[in-house]
Amino acid sequence: MRLTKLGSGLISVLALAAGISMAHAKSDIVVAMQLEPPHLDPTSAAAGAIDSVLYSNVFEGLTRFGPDGSVNPGLAESWSISEDGKTYTFRLHEGVKFHDGSDLTAEDVKFSLDRARGEDSANAQKALFAGIESVEAIDPTTVKVTLKEPNGSLLFNLAWGDAVIVAPESIADIKSTPIGTGAFKFSNWVQGDRIDLEKNADYWGTPAKLDNVTFKFISDPTAAFAAVMAEDVNAFVGFPAPENLPQFEADPRFQVLVGSTEGETILSTNNKQPPLDNPKVRKAIAHAIDRQAIIDGAMFGYGTPIGTHFAPHNPDYVDLTGLSMYDPELSKELLAEAGFADGFSTTLKLPPPSYARRGGEIIASQLRAVGIETEISNLEWAQWLEQVFKGKDFGLTIVSHTEPMDIGIYARPDYYFNYDSPAFKELFEKLTVENDPEKRSELLKEAQKMISEDYVNGYLFQLAFPTVANAKIKGLWKNQPTQATDLTAVYWED
Amino acid sequence: MLRYFLKRLLSLALSLVAASVVIFLVLEVVPGDPAAYMLGLNAQEDTLNALREQLGLNGTILERYLSWAGGLLTGDFGVSYTYRTPVAEMIGDRLWVSLPLALYALTLSTLIAFPAGIWAASRRGSFVDTGVMGATQLGVAIPNFWFAMLMVLVFAINLRWFSAGGFAGWDAGFLAGMKSLTLPAIALALPQASILTRVMRSSLLDTLSEDFIRTARAKGLTRAQAMWRHALRNALIPVLTIMGLQFSFLLAGAIIIENVFYLPGLGRLVFQAISARDLIVVESVVMLLVFAVIVVNFAVDLAYALVDPRLRRRR
């Protein structure tokens, strides 16, 4: 009798314990990343770290990127486009509230877009809004955007972090207290250490599954490894040390997601500096490079070879790696044809990331093999921006262009690689005003081919994006269609 | 005495002014436009100009120096270019990590070095002495970041006694805060303790060979008595000098350790600020460190006077 009592008591205790653990499926997460945002306003800095923390979590735009890079409705429930492609009418979701409790209205949208394109705007991607003629608030939930001429990229442009909707009354403190409409609210920032977000109970859409989110900033690769191993952090997005990934893959506590990014890593070439102004010389350089050796040597095998300035995961991508196959003999022939049978020497200026520093050493030795001597100099980012990007004082450099869909930079003759092609500009103008998806796709493919055949730059590889996380976490983005750590659908598996 | 004090104060002020000019000029000629850094690869010229205007970067060098230096006098360190928060506030927050860390490390190193140095000196030539000297040689030779990583491996990853890094914050309680500073403090203290032990030992041995010790011994004091009563105080002067230097070093030089343990301290702030061309933060932090060094030196001078009455009378 006693024993059964004890037994049933034990069972009920166990059941209770199980019930408690079921009810307490973990709802907090600590996510680490390498860089800390300088401030919290995605609309006035280029720092990707700002979007990494806030995009979709705290701030939302009219449209938003999905995990696969598709453009989906965001705050705009739907839209219609006029016949001439110049007028977009957006219908906003009803009942959307900012985190301070105020309602989102068409006036806020007008304010946000006007602020971004205004004269004294400090928006890093101001060009995204350049084609907008006017923004009108028709009624509280309807906004009309009129363009100077048709722009097939508008919906895509509005999905950027730089185009999120902000409220006029929150602008003064936005850099330290961001107020958005997202599924998470900003709660605390200990500079140098962490940013805390909490669930927004009044969210207009599908509520977040997590209650609390902490972002930690760990820049040192060794410290990153230690933090994940000691399980101080639950996930590390953009894990900085690819050499450690196999170890995590072998450990059942962790999952490793290796996704793709919008980062085209290229051997940028100064198209105006002799002898690099000679297309044959550029072609020779392209054929002298063994991409796989760079991916293996500099990135421990993580990265996808590319042959043009376009993301391989994009449906419009064309594989043009064949145009610049590794062929040192051909490279030497081309150099001889161009009048450099004995080679030449040029500069190779490298910014700090390891893809550039490690990759640079490998490229230098590959170029030396065909007779091209490079004088390597290692620069800090600020120096690189000053000398290479702004001063155009370089022969070659290695850098990853991480802006989504940025093939348009080839239509800017004053851009640092000095590519001035009327044919490309014309093509790009056609692309800009084209609204038909099929025709756009064709034009995009043509654009990829054009720059690849002109050997504007040496196209190396698409940066991989490794995330190491606790094996029980679900719903993390694998790819990086934009620099975001969208946690709105993340949860812990029981 | 008052005149001496005023003279000291004037020289202190002059060094600060000189330091501020040098720091400002050196950083202003460093290449790199903060606005370009912040706005990235797609920014347009008019946007850059708008931002430079917002940051007050469009003035002449003299205007900018005067506004910065004038602000310093009133405790206004300006506003960080990148973080856009008052620099004084940021430095204040970071000091709550770096200052306790430096003090913690200095305390640990003193607690190790004093007994070890005295022990080695009092057993000169014995195997204790050789052992202590060997250990300090190792302590000086081992890079502290390597030792830090080793400790993380053992105490954070394997034993799970400590977290691998980060700072719990003083809000979480004094003990939690101290706990997160323990591994970094040990890593910082180890080489410092080794140096201090060696200085302590050799300084004591020097003093022990002086005439007044011989006199004391002749009057019947044992070696130990002579050491405790007469030698120790006299041996402290070089030790205090080293400790003063170490404190300034620990405050400024913990950059690597703060990165290994991702502590939100001053060292890490300055590291980030340099790479982001947040010049005003760099200038202000460096200025603060110069100030700290000068004040610590002043304090060490006072401490000399405490341990050596002759210095007191000379003033």
Side-chain angles (χ1 to χ4, degrees):
Chain A
M1 182 65 197
R2 249 205 182 154
L3 231 126
T4 37
K5 229 180 181 174
L6 189 74
S8 65
L10 205 68
I11 287 167
S12 56
V13 167
L14 282 175
L16 199 69
I20 289 169
S21 75
M22 288 250 282
H24 283 253
K26 221 167 134 47
S27 63
D28 295 1
I29 195 171
V30 180
V31 180
M33 55 184 60
Q34 233 189 327
L35 294 178
E36 180 177 23
H39 59 74
L40 305 179
D41 178 8
T43 64
S44 61
I50 303 178
D51 282 355
S52 295
V53 172
L54 301 168
Y55 187 82
S56 267
N57 296 328
V58 174
F59 285 113
E60 298 172 299
L62 290 177
T63 55
R64 61 167 287 182
F65 291 115
D68 56 349
S70 57
V71 176
N72 304 312
L75 290 173
E77 185 181 59
S78 61
W79 50 82
S80 58
I81 307 171
S82 68
E83 282 282 303
D84 63 358
K86 283 191 185 172
T87 314
Y88 285 66
T89 311
F90 293 95
R91 271 202 75 75
L92 304 179
H93 276 281
E94 301 223 2
V96 179
K97 280 188 188 306
F98 281 104
H99 297 148
D100 62 359
S102 64
D103 290 317
L104 170 98
T105 64
E107 286 297 336
D108 295 314
V109 175
K110 177 178 163 54
F111 169 79
S112 302
L113 296 181
D114 284 347
R115 173 172 172 264
R117 65 200 188 91
E119 207 158 283
D120 54 352
S121 154
N123 194 301
Q125 312 294 344
K126 205 172 158 183
L128 293 178
F129 314 97
I132 297 179
E133 172 85 39
S134 70
V135 184
E136 283 168 81
I138 305 290
D139 64 52
T141 55
T142 313
V143 183
K144 192 165 95 180
V145 176
T146 311
L147 304 177
K148 290 170 192 153
E149 44 193 40
N151 181 349
S153 317
L154 184 74
L155 295 172
F156 174 86
N157 292 354
L158 291 177
W160 281 54
D162 306 81
V164 294
I165 304 306
V166 292
E169 68 273 11
S170 67
I171 291 302
D173 296 323
I174 188 171
K175 291 189 167 74
S176 54
T177 316
I179 294 191
T181 54
F184 291 100
K185 285 194 281 194
F186 167 80
S187 77
N188 186 31
W189 181 13
V190 181
Q191 273 180 1
D193 190 42
R194 66 173 192 275
I195 290 175
D196 297 318
L197 308 180
E198 61 186 35
K199 185 176 176 167
N200 171 13
D202 301 323
Y203 186 54
W204 58 272
T206 316
K209 291 171 180 155
L210 296 167
D211 291 330
N212 290 292
V213 173
T214 299
F215 286 97
K216 277 252 175 201
F217 309 104
I218 305 174
S219 52
D220 183 74
T222 316
F225 174 75
V228 178
M229 281 305 269
E231 296 185 54
D232 286 354
V233 299
N234 304 128
F236 203 115
V237 295
F239 190 78
E243 58 271 33
N244 290 328
L245 293 178
Q247 194 174 345
F248 289 121
E249 269 165 356
D251 192 328
R253 290 181 294 160
F254 304 113
Q255 55 178 323
V256 175
L257 309 169
V258 180
S260 181
T261 65
E262 289 291 326
E264 292 87 20
T265 309
I266 60 177
L267 178 70
S268 290
T269 308
N270 190 341
N271 280 244
K272 280 221 173 99
Q273 192 186 78
L276 303 168
D277 54 348
N278 183 339
K280 264 202 182 126
V281 171
R282 296 201 300 267
K283 190 175 176 188
I285 291 177
H287 284 294
I289 295 169
D290 181 358
R291 293 187 188 94
Q292 198 55 46
I294 298 166
I295 295 173
D296 292 342
M299 306 308 290
F300 296 86
Y302 296 95
T304 316
I306 52 170
T308 184
H309 199 108
F310 216 68
H313 54 258
N314 192 298
D316 294 329
Y317 175 73
V318 195
D319 184 356
L320 297 168
T321 45
L323 282 175
S324 47
M325 268 304 173
Y326 177 52
D327 190 347
E329 287 314 310
L330 174 62
S331 177
K332 280 184 208 163
E333 275 170 39
L334 286 163
L335 281 178
E337 278 175 41
F340 294 98
D342 300 329
F344 63 90
S345 78
T346 185
T347 54
L348 176 57
K349 298 195 171 176
L350 305 174
S354 56
Y355 66 73
R357 294 279 165 89
R358 290 197 279 223
E361 300 288 340
I362 299 169
I363 284 187
S365 80
Q366 290 175 355
L367 291 179
R368 192 174 304 125
V370 300
I372 302 171
E373 281 300 323
T374 50
E375 183 195 316
I376 292 188
S377 42
N378 291 335
L379 305 180
E380 287 307 304
W381 264 126
Q383 274 177 299
W384 186 89
L385 284 169
E386 190 81 12
Q387 274 184 38
V388 177
F389 190 71
K390 206 170 133 201
K392 296 171 192 165
D393 172 20
F394 75 109
L396 300 168
T397 182
I398 298 177
V399 71
S400 209
H401 282 254
T402 53
E403 278 80 9
M405 190 70 112
D406 53 357
I407 200 166
I409 53 181
Y410 289 81
R412 287 164 60 177
D414 59 338
Y415 205 65
Y416 76 104
F417 34 71
N418 279 325
Y419 174 60
D420 191 356
S421 158
F424 188 87
K425 269 188 276 179
E426 197 185 313
L427 177 72
F428 198 74
E429 270 159 32
K430 260 195 244 167
L431 177 73
T432 309
V433 297
E434 185 55 65
N435 265 323
D436 181 63
E438 251 171 58
K439 282 186 193 143
R440 281 185 67 80
S441 170
E442 258 166 51
L443 289 168
L444 277 171
K445 285 175 182 164
E446 207 178 312
Q448 293 171 53
K449 274 186 207 130
M450 198 179 279
I451 54 171
S452 184
E453 280 162 1
D454 277 350
Y455 298 94
V456 183
N457 295 310
Y459 299 101
L460 306 175
F461 60 90
Q462 197 74 7
L463 273 187
F465 187 80
T467 296
V468 183
N470 187 298
K472 288 187 174 159
I473 297 173
K474 303 287 162 200
L476 285 167
W477 277 18
K478 182 177 166 193
N479 294 322
Q480 286 275 287
T482 187
Q483 293 194 38
T485 314
D486 185 334
L487 297 173
T488 53
V490 171
Y491 63 96
W492 287 86
E493 200 180 49
D494 287 329
Chain B
M1 183 72 192
L2 184 69
R3 212 175 134 208
Y4 171 80
F5 183 74
L6 285 178
K7 242 169 109 179
R8 274 306 301 252
L9 214 61
L10 185 72
S11 88
L12 196 141
L14 282 178
S15 347
L16 284 177
V17 171
S20 75
V21 172
V22 171
I23 290 166
F24 188 82
L25 287 181
V26 166
L27 283 175
E28 290 299 321
V29 297
V30 167
D33 176 1
Y37 183 86
M38 288 161 67
L39 290 176
L41 302 191
N42 277 12
Q44 291 168 332
E45 199 50 44
D46 59 337
T47 322
L48 285 170
N49 260 330
L51 184 63
R52 275 192 215 112
E53 193 61 44
Q54 279 180 27
L55 297 176
L57 285 171
N58 279 344
T60 64
I61 285 199
L62 186 68
E63 277 167 14
R64 278 183 290 150
Y65 172 75
L66 288 179
S67 92
W68 174 66
L72 286 183
L73 286 178
T74 58
D76 174 10
F77 287 58
V79 175
S80 156
Y81 297 160
T82 38
Y83 285 98
R84 304 291 181 89
T85 41
V87 178
E89 228 171 75
M90 291 172 67
I91 293 180
D93 286 348
R94 304 302 178 98
L95 272 177
W96 278 107
V97 179
S98 290
L99 209 55
L101 177 63
L103 283 171
Y104 194 174
L106 192 70
T107 312
L108 284 179
S109 97
T110 314
L111 286 179
I112 298 169
F114 274 52
I118 295 171
W119 199 29
S122 62
R123 302 257 199 297
R124 182 182 196 176
S126 74
F127 94 99
V128 167
D129 189 21
T130 325
V132 169
M133 284 299 97
T136 58
Q137 213 142 39
L138 205 63
V140 175
I142 290 177
N144 60 8
F145 71 90
W146 181 83
F147 185 65
M149 288 193 266
L150 196 71
M151 282 199 299
V152 168
L153 217 59
V154 175
F155 296 108
I157 295 179
N158 285 337
L159 295 171
R160 302 283 181 96
W161 291 354
F162 293 90
S163 55
F167 183 59
W170 297 114
D171 306 343
F174 179 73
L175 283 179
M178 289 306 271
K179 193 179 168 195
S180 31
L181 292 182
T182 298
L183 292 186
I186 295 174
L188 279 172
L190 189 81
Q192 308 293 337
S194 303
I195 295 166
L196 208 57
T197 305
R198 296 179 81 92
V199 174
M200 185 80 210
R201 173 185 173 274
S202 64
S203 167
L204 254 182
L205 288 177
D206 283 352
T207 328
L208 282 173
S209 66
E210 285 203 33
D211 289 348
F212 69 93
I213 297 291
R214 203 176 313 141
T215 313
R217 291 293 302 276
K219 283 166 120 183
L221 263 66
T222 63
R223 197 179 148 82
Q225 281 170 328
M227 186 169 84
W228 287 106
R229 286 192 204 159
H230 299 289
L232 201 55
R233 260 176 98 137
N234 286 293
L236 276 180
I237 297 251
V239 175
L240 282 172
T241 313
I242 297 292
M243 282 175 69
L245 287 175
Q246 283 189 347
F247 181 74
S248 323
F249 171 81
L250 286 171
L251 195 57
I255 297 179
I256 295 173
I257 292 299
E258 284 180 7
N259 272 303
V260 171
F261 290 98
Y262 49 102
L263 289 171
L266 215 52
R268 192 150 164 241
L269 174 71
V270 116
F271 182 73
Q272 288 173 337
I274 291 173
S275 53
R277 282 299 180 272
D278 198 343
L279 300 179
I280 193 154
V281 170
V282 182
E283 285 159 359
S284 304
V285 174
V286 175
M287 199 59 212
L288 182 83
L289 292 173
V290 168
F291 184 72
V293 170
I294 291 176
V295 168
V296 167
N297 277 344
F298 188 69
V300 169
D301 277 357
L302 290 183
Y304 286 166
L306 278 180
V307 297
D308 191 341
R310 283 169 302 174
L311 293 176
R312 230 176 305 173
R313 271 192 301 267
R314 210 182 290 162
R315 284 173 190 183

